[in-house]
Amino acid sequence: MALNNPAFDNPAFKEQRPGLTPPAAPGMQTASAQHAGVDVASQAQLEGMYAAPAAGARETSRMTVEDTVVKTLGLFAILLATAVVGWVWTLSPVTRDNPAPTMMPWIIGALGGFVLAMVVTFTSRKKVRPGLIFGYAAFEGLFVGGISAYFEFIWQGIVMQATLATLAVVGVTLALFASGKVRASAKATKIFMIAMLGYLVFSLLNVGLMLFGVIPSGMMFGLHSATIANIPLGLIIGVLVVIMAAYSLVLDFDNIQRGVRNGAPRQYGWVGAFGIMVTVVWLYVEILRIIAILRGNN
């Protein structure tokens, strides 16, 4: 996840504490007074500079919000392109004689995306490699397209529902962050970390039980399909995970904001875009599973 991504441990993303400004020497004060009378030519030149467009990421080689947004949109364009491939591939074997879709794009995309995500996360502290991030976006697209087609084959209309719900969560989170009503805090982040570790352990346990046949094959989502007081466990956990993913987005936005404020190199815009993509894909998959459980065919 995007939380505490080691790539964001670069000093450029840390809060900078300004030092004390030394008192100006008498000679400096005199020079300042002399330069107060700027001539007409210099004044005209300054006015021309102020009227010129603000320097962007290309001119300053520094990270900006606008440049990070462009990079994020570029990564999602790659994801959508390979998602189409994953969708078509998943449904390609479906015929009258063979009504089952294939899970190969789903599996290949998940494994490839996981490996590249780990590489990007633990190497970006020293050097950002956009090529690896592009590869991650491509594999994630294959995964998203594959799993979406597979779920759509079973529950028609579920992909549109999950997509709209994901966009709603991302939009509300972004609006609240931009308005200043939601901010990352040390206490909330600590709670988030504990919850993330707990969810990771639960997920690994669930996968292990399913692989070794401990959980009946009829329970498609494993422990998520179990019920407590007639309420699906996956629904309870899913709501909590969506909240966690929303807070993870807040952390992504906060990391980008701090990187821009501290003058991080332009290349770290790719790290910010990568973090957002990881979180949004996670959010979409969780919402997809919640809706599937709600529709009762698990």
Side-chain angles (χ1 to χ4, degrees):
M1 306 309 145
L3 174 67
N4 286 344
N5 187 329
F8 286 116
D9 288 340
N10 186 280
F13 291 93
K14 304 298 184 183
E15 291 291 348
Q16 303 296 325
R17 187 176 180 181
L20 296 176
T21 303
M28 294 176 62
Q29 295 176 5
T30 303
S32 297
Q34 292 173 347
H35 284 87
V38 182
D39 57 27
V40 177
S42 297
Q43 186 66 35
Q45 183 180 13
L46 286 173
E47 291 177 356
M49 292 173 61
Y50 290 139
R58 187 179 299 276
E59 291 77 12
T60 63
S61 295
R62 295 296 178 185
M63 182 178 177
T64 65
V65 172
E66 294 78 7
D67 187 59
T68 303
V69 170
V70 171
K71 287 178 168 61
T72 303
L73 293 176
L75 291 182
F76 274 101
I78 295 174
L79 182 146
L80 290 176
T82 55
V84 173
V85 175
W87 182 287
V88 174
W89 185 1
T90 299
L91 299 179
S92 60
V94 177
T95 62
R96 181 176 300 178
D97 298 328
N98 180 30
T102 178
M103 296 178 63
M104 286 304 295
W106 175 354
I107 296 173
I108 293 174
L111 292 177
F114 176 77
V115 171
L116 286 180
M118 292 298 99
V119 174
V120 170
T121 298
F122 292 106
T123 62
S124 293
R125 293 181 61 182
K126 296 181 179 179
K127 183 178 181 180
V128 178
R129 296 177 174 85
L132 294 179
I133 299 177
F134 295 158
Y136 167 78
F139 274 111
E140 282 300 281
L142 202 61
F143 165 69
V144 169
I147 194 173
S148 297
Y150 194 92
F151 275 49
E152 184 71 18
F153 182 81
I154 301 174
W155 302 283
Q156 293 184 2
I158 191 172
V159 171
M160 180 59 69
Q161 294 172 337
T163 300
L164 292 177
T166 301
L167 292 176
V169 173
V170 173
V172 170
T173 304
L174 178 58
L176 291 175
F177 181 83
S179 67
K181 294 181 179 180
V182 173
R183 282 289 183 267
S185 67
K187 183 177 181 180
T189 301
K190 184 177 181 179
I191 295 174
F192 176 81
M193 277 295 296
I194 296 173
M196 275 298 303
L197 290 175
Y199 182 65
L200 176 61
V201 172
F202 171 81
S203 299
L204 293 175
L205 176 63
N206 189 38
V207 171
L209 293 176
M210 293 177 68
L211 288 177
F212 288 102
V214 178
I215 298 177
S217 58
M219 299 175 67
M220 182 176 180
F221 300 110
L223 295 176
H224 289 275
S225 298
T227 59
I228 299 178
N230 293 325
I231 300 176
L233 181 61
L235 179 58
I236 300 173
I237 295 177
V239 172
L240 295 176
V241 173
V242 167
I243 295 173
M244 289 164 56
Y247 185 74
S248 183
L249 271 177
V250 171
L251 291 174
D252 293 329
F253 298 150
D254 184 67
N255 281 325
I256 293 171
Q257 188 179 69
R258 287 190 288 115
V260 172
R261 185 167 59 245
N262 295 330
R266 184 187 178 194
Q267 61 181 349
Y268 280 93
W270 290 114
V271 179
F274 166 75
I276 291 176
M277 173 165 283
V278 171
T279 304
V280 171
V281 170
W282 173 36
L283 176 64
Y284 171 77
V285 172
E286 291 296 337
I287 291 178
L288 197 66
R289 177 161 48 197
I290 290 174
I291 297 175
I293 293 174
L294 285 174
R295 292 183 62 166
N297 294 325
N298 54 10

